[in-house]
Amino acid sequence: MPLIFLTFLVLLLIPCQSIAEVLTNDTVWQGEVDMKEDILVPAGVTLTISPHTVVRVWPSQSTKIDPEFISHRTEITVRGTLQIDGNSKGLATFQLGGENKGERWAGIVIDGGKVKSRYCTVEGAEAAFHVIGGSLELTHSRITDNRYGMIVQGKHGKVSLDTVAIQKNEYGVFLFNGADITRQQSEIARNSRKDIFESSAANNLPTPAPFTFTAADLTKVYGDESLPGETVWKGRVLIKGQVRIPLEGRLVIYPGTIVEFSKKDTNGDGIGENGLMIQGMFIAKGTPSQPILFRSAETQRKRGDWDAINILGSDAAQNLIEFCQVEDAYRGLHFHFSNIGVNHAILRNNYRGAQFQESLVEIRSSDFFDNISGIQARDSEVVFHGNRMVNNGHGASFFRLNLKAANNYFMRNRGDGLRIREGATVVEKNVMTGNRFGLIMADAVFGKVAGNIISQNLEGGASFRDTDNIEIQHNIIQANGLNGINLNNARSMITGNLISENGERGLGIIGFSGRITQNNIMDNGLYAIGLDDEKSDIDAAINWWGDSDLDKELFDRHDDQSLGKVIYEPQSKGPVPVAWSLPTINTDVSWSGSMRIADHVEVLPDAVLSIRPGTTLFFSPHAGMDIHGRILAEGTKEKRITFTSTNQQGASDWEEILLDRASGSRFVYCDFEYATWGIHSHFSDVTISYCRFRQNDGGIRFRSGPLEISHSLFSHNRIGLRAFRGTARIHDSIFTKNEIGIFVREQGDGLTINRNNIFANERYSIRLGDFNKEDVDARGNWWGGVSPLPTIFDGHQEEYIGKVMFEPYLNKQLKLAGGDSK
Amino acid sequence: MNYSFFVRIFCIALACFIGWISPLHGKESAALKGRILDTQGQAVQGAEVYAYRSNKVKGPADYISNRTGADGIFTLVLPPGKYWVLGVFRKSGAKFGPLITGDKHSGEPIPMNVKAGQETERNFTVMDLREAARQIDKKSEELFKITGKILDKHGQPLPMAYAMAHLQPQLGTIPRYLSRWTDDTGRYILYVPRGTLFLGAALTFPVKNDYFLKNRIDVQGDMQEMDIIVMLEKK
């Protein structure tokens, strides 16, 4: 009897609703609902919330994210329909439940589904509504006390608000990548940090492409089977169950093989169950011309049609997955306690590209794109090198790894590009751009974040929370939506970085212990450094602040007595050299201050490298640049841009700036010295004005064009200008004290050389090459007050080459400043 | 009175009936006992054991043990059945939320069947989360790394080659141990066990069964600079 009585008492307090994880049927919630697990409303299913319903969402216990969900927090993910039917007498409410202690729930994530909501309140979420795709119609509702009221990503989602208040959140509405909302009689106001924020990624980011495959005849069909011993697959294999490779077995897949999985979904959760379960060895060794394909066998292939390539406890040798494409799976690759090499693989259109733990894993030169999440891994030793994570929901999430991540691209992921929690990590020479957040690091120790480009991320560049002993050095952190670097209870040495052009703060600090020194921090939107609830002083001495007015651009105790002080004296006397470490630039980047370039740097097509006024580039021996995109080096009269060498010895200290089909490139108020060639151009439309080329082996050499060269100086070079089948206008410039002023190697009839001062060159003012048969227009120049004939080598000396047409010539020297001024 | 009130009354009534016939009523529970230790084998005070009825451990635990004392001993009484169990130490003393710096736990939940009337003994080792990361070494102790370059006959690195090792010099089958395809550096890493093996390299996969592996090696530990020369030109 006491048991019954106690049961009676307890049950008075307990709501009666039971919650499933994946709804398989239309469901109605009413009364009081305790939601302790994620809820997925799949396509074809409707969840209806009745009036007066209170949904209490308990914060998550864990940081795990199952592949079909978006957040580690407790969430409702809608791929079907969510109908919230409050009314004026009975609101439907979503709020925090449990003993939350400051935690939030994720919110309602609309991932291709439809949400119609009226008379509803949503509180306590990370983002009350997060629209990735699908539609949201919200009427007579209130969104309050969330971190974000609403996030809408991309143009795929349709959002309409009617009589909605989004108030008293930290952030109101964030719109990314062209997202828009329609609203009437709605207010987005009185949110503590920002009401509305819009940001978009650059359009010129490259997109990986899948492999192409040749159709193959069906060679084998499997159901639920175990394959002991050695099994070889070739041709096309159809899997209609779960194929197991036991311990001591080995599955070898030949190049060009296609493996297809039919969909079996016995529990109706929309996720296929067929797959591979490997406890022996797995060798899938494709080649570039004959890759291996793993995909759904269904006519209408969908993500989640099949389970995974599971490899469990296989560490007797290295399993190999090379030149393979894995698509349409729940988890493309899934390992536990295994030794795996993934090389030149493509993981696309899966719920999760790869998931593993307790493993030794190398992932190289592979592409992860269009997955709900790219990679999730924990408790493993990982080399992650040369990969691309593009257009996933989240890029890579690494938990408690011994990790080396280098030369990867994390681009246009809707959430984080790279998230690291705990572990000992080295993150070097990666590019994180166009993501919502570039890099998030939490609870990690003894790590290094060096030589990365973290730029143009929509909301934030890099965030460090509860980290210790992390070196943050030689990164370019620029043009991120709000803050370049966020520091929250972080201990670091931050040095040698370029932190510039971020939307609000270069560095936003809630808690920091360490030094911020020898960085270039400039041209950020609001503050170079902004303190937020940080009461201690910040050591920020010996930085270069550009033209910043530090009284206005430091937010500290001078602005709010409760904050600490940013101690910025003494300041660096000039820009601090920042080492550039990446071999390629594939996204828009700007350089300012002082940059050291130790090797060749390639600017890929569609990328634009902007060099800001006053910048100096120091090139090491044999270093140079290859521009296939565009370079805009636009200095000013007061702040010239200098291309020079680290050695400062003489001509040919460094290579050249090579432009190849880099049309639209511009050099204005630039100085080139100690190069082999200052500018070397092929097939590019380039403008060069007010520039100085001095003490190079050659100033400019070019083929094709057109080039416009004006108001510039060429002096003390072996060759000032060299043309080969070129088209150019050269005017208002000075050629003097070179060994040869202008050398026309071949086909010089495309050149117009007028209104220049060409004089006192050691051997020739103009020399035509032995293969140049054409005449060259060089009229209207001043040749030093004498006839130029003795200083020209042309058809007058060699019959078969063309002539320099120099008459009429000027008798008075032109007043030209020679690269100095307008 | 609204609909939910009547639903609640019905639930209570039903629960009373179920309570009367509950399998626990008059039957023995199961118990899980043990100690919670750190990586040095020392007892951890203030830790708990969490038990879940499923492997979905994201929400609050279904059953939580006592907080351990200085001796690290815990006891957890629960209905018989299958559970997923882990040990947790929360510095803050909280019962919810993701683990934070300073907390410890025993790793992945362990599936356990506990039987009625029985006491199951199990210790849990909880790990400092930071220390665990620095000690991670996931290579099997049974395997060693052989590294080197694959070169052509002129000593130039060969891309798109791979190293292989086998127990016999003559291949009658696909070699037992294979490296990934090389890149422009020609570098390879091959994981092999201790013992005598025959080492070689190839440019095509699969390699022909009559291929002969020329280099005999005796593997007793990691081996570096084991360059392999393939008598072919780089294309």
Side-chain angles (χ1 to χ4, degrees), chain A residues 531-536 555-565:
Chain A
L531 304 193
D532 186 349
D533 206 30
E534 167 61 90
K535 299 189 183 343
S536 305
F555 189 86
D556 63 355
R557 187 175 299 159
H558 294 99
D559 306 280
D560 178 343
Q561 285 296 305
S562 69
L563 298 174
K565 269 194 311 195

Short mmCIF file of all heavy atoms in Angstrom, two decimals, chain A residues 531-536 555-565:
data_model
loop_
_atom_site.label_atom_id
_atom_site.label_comp_id
_atom_site.label_asym_id
_atom_site.label_seq_id
_atom_site.Cartn_x
_atom_site.Cartn_y
_atom_site.Cartn_z
N LEU A 531 36.35 45.09 -24.96
CA LEU A 531 36.15 44.25 -23.78
C LEU A 531 34.66 44.15 -23.48
O LEU A 531 33.91 45.11 -23.66
CB LEU A 531 36.88 44.83 -22.57
CG LEU A 531 38.38 45.08 -22.72
CD1 LEU A 531 39.01 45.34 -21.36
CD2 LEU A 531 39.07 43.94 -23.41
N ASP A 532 34.28 42.98 -22.99
CA ASP A 532 32.87 42.74 -22.69
C ASP A 532 32.85 41.93 -21.42
O ASP A 532 33.13 40.74 -21.43
CB ASP A 532 32.25 41.96 -23.87
CG ASP A 532 30.76 41.80 -23.70
OD1 ASP A 532 30.23 42.09 -22.62
OD2 ASP A 532 30.12 41.38 -24.67
N ASP A 533 32.58 42.54 -20.35
CA ASP A 533 32.55 41.84 -19.07
C ASP A 533 33.94 41.39 -18.61
O ASP A 533 34.05 40.54 -17.73
CB ASP A 533 31.62 40.61 -19.16
CG ASP A 533 31.06 40.26 -17.78
OD1 ASP A 533 30.90 41.18 -16.95
OD2 ASP A 533 30.81 39.06 -17.53
N GLU A 534 34.98 41.91 -19.21
CA GLU A 534 36.35 41.55 -18.80
C GLU A 534 36.85 42.61 -17.83
O GLU A 534 37.01 43.78 -18.19
CB GLU A 534 37.25 41.48 -20.03
CG GLU A 534 38.75 41.44 -19.73
CD GLU A 534 39.17 40.22 -18.92
OE1 GLU A 534 39.50 39.19 -19.51
OE2 GLU A 534 39.16 40.31 -17.67
N LYS A 535 37.13 42.20 -16.60
CA LYS A 535 37.49 43.19 -15.59
C LYS A 535 39.00 43.35 -15.45
O LYS A 535 39.49 44.33 -14.91
CB LYS A 535 36.89 42.78 -14.24
CG LYS A 535 35.37 42.74 -14.35
CD LYS A 535 34.69 42.57 -13.03
CE LYS A 535 33.17 42.45 -13.13
NZ LYS A 535 32.49 42.88 -14.33
N SER A 536 39.76 42.34 -15.92
CA SER A 536 41.21 42.45 -15.80
C SER A 536 41.78 43.28 -16.92
O SER A 536 41.16 43.42 -17.98
CB SER A 536 41.85 41.05 -15.87
OG SER A 536 41.29 40.23 -14.90
N PHE A 555 37.64 49.64 -26.67
CA PHE A 555 36.52 49.76 -25.73
C PHE A 555 36.98 49.10 -24.43
O PHE A 555 37.08 47.88 -24.33
CB PHE A 555 35.27 49.08 -26.30
CG PHE A 555 34.05 49.35 -25.49
CD1 PHE A 555 33.29 50.50 -25.71
CD2 PHE A 555 33.66 48.49 -24.46
CE1 PHE A 555 32.16 50.76 -24.93
CE2 PHE A 555 32.53 48.75 -23.69
CZ PHE A 555 31.78 49.88 -23.93
N ASP A 556 37.24 49.92 -23.39
CA ASP A 556 37.73 49.38 -22.12
C ASP A 556 37.30 50.29 -20.99
O ASP A 556 36.24 50.94 -21.07
CB ASP A 556 39.26 49.18 -22.20
CG ASP A 556 40.04 50.49 -22.39
OD1 ASP A 556 39.39 51.56 -22.56
OD2 ASP A 556 41.28 50.44 -22.37
N ARG A 557 38.11 50.36 -19.96
CA ARG A 557 37.70 51.13 -18.78
C ARG A 557 37.45 52.59 -19.12
O ARG A 557 36.65 53.23 -18.44
CB ARG A 557 38.78 51.03 -17.69
CG ARG A 557 38.35 51.67 -16.37
CD ARG A 557 39.36 51.46 -15.28
NE ARG A 557 39.54 50.06 -15.04
CZ ARG A 557 40.62 49.52 -14.45
NH1 ARG A 557 41.62 50.31 -14.07
NH2 ARG A 557 40.71 48.23 -14.25
N HIS A 558 38.09 53.09 -20.14
CA HIS A 558 37.85 54.49 -20.48
C HIS A 558 36.41 54.71 -20.92
O HIS A 558 35.89 55.82 -20.86
CB HIS A 558 38.80 54.94 -21.61
CG HIS A 558 40.23 54.96 -21.16
ND1 HIS A 558 41.11 53.94 -21.45
CD2 HIS A 558 40.92 55.87 -20.42
CE1 HIS A 558 42.29 54.22 -20.91
NE2 HIS A 558 42.20 55.38 -20.27
N ASP A 559 35.79 53.63 -21.34
CA ASP A 559 34.41 53.74 -21.80
C ASP A 559 33.42 53.22 -20.76
O ASP A 559 32.26 53.64 -20.73
CB ASP A 559 34.24 52.94 -23.10
CG ASP A 559 35.25 53.35 -24.14
OD1 ASP A 559 35.02 54.37 -24.80
OD2 ASP A 559 36.29 52.65 -24.27
N ASP A 560 33.88 52.28 -19.94
CA ASP A 560 32.99 51.67 -18.95
C ASP A 560 33.85 51.31 -17.75
O ASP A 560 34.74 50.47 -17.85
CB ASP A 560 32.33 50.43 -19.57
CG ASP A 560 31.43 49.68 -18.61
OD1 ASP A 560 31.52 49.89 -17.37
OD2 ASP A 560 30.61 48.88 -19.08
N GLN A 561 33.57 51.96 -16.65
CA GLN A 561 34.42 51.82 -15.45
C GLN A 561 34.48 50.39 -14.92
O GLN A 561 35.38 50.04 -14.17
CB GLN A 561 33.90 52.75 -14.35
CG GLN A 561 34.24 54.21 -14.58
CD GLN A 561 35.73 54.43 -14.56
OE1 GLN A 561 36.43 54.08 -13.62
NE2 GLN A 561 36.26 55.01 -15.62
N SER A 562 33.53 49.56 -15.29
CA SER A 562 33.54 48.19 -14.75
C SER A 562 34.52 47.29 -15.48
O SER A 562 34.78 46.16 -15.05
CB SER A 562 32.13 47.59 -14.87
OG SER A 562 31.81 47.37 -16.23
N LEU A 563 35.07 47.77 -16.58
CA LEU A 563 35.95 46.93 -17.39
C LEU A 563 37.42 47.17 -17.05
O LEU A 563 37.77 48.16 -16.42
CB LEU A 563 35.75 47.26 -18.88
CG LEU A 563 34.35 46.99 -19.44
CD1 LEU A 563 34.26 47.51 -20.86
CD2 LEU A 563 34.00 45.52 -19.37
N GLY A 564 38.26 46.23 -17.49
CA GLY A 564 39.70 46.42 -17.37
C GLY A 564 40.20 47.38 -18.44
O GLY A 564 39.44 47.92 -19.23
N LYS A 565 41.53 47.57 -18.42
CA LYS A 565 42.15 48.49 -19.40
C LYS A 565 42.89 47.70 -20.45
O LYS A 565 43.50 46.65 -20.15
CB LYS A 565 43.18 49.37 -18.66
CG LYS A 565 42.62 50.67 -18.14
CD LYS A 565 43.69 51.65 -17.74
CE LYS A 565 44.74 51.04 -16.86
NZ LYS A 565 45.57 52.03 -16.19
#
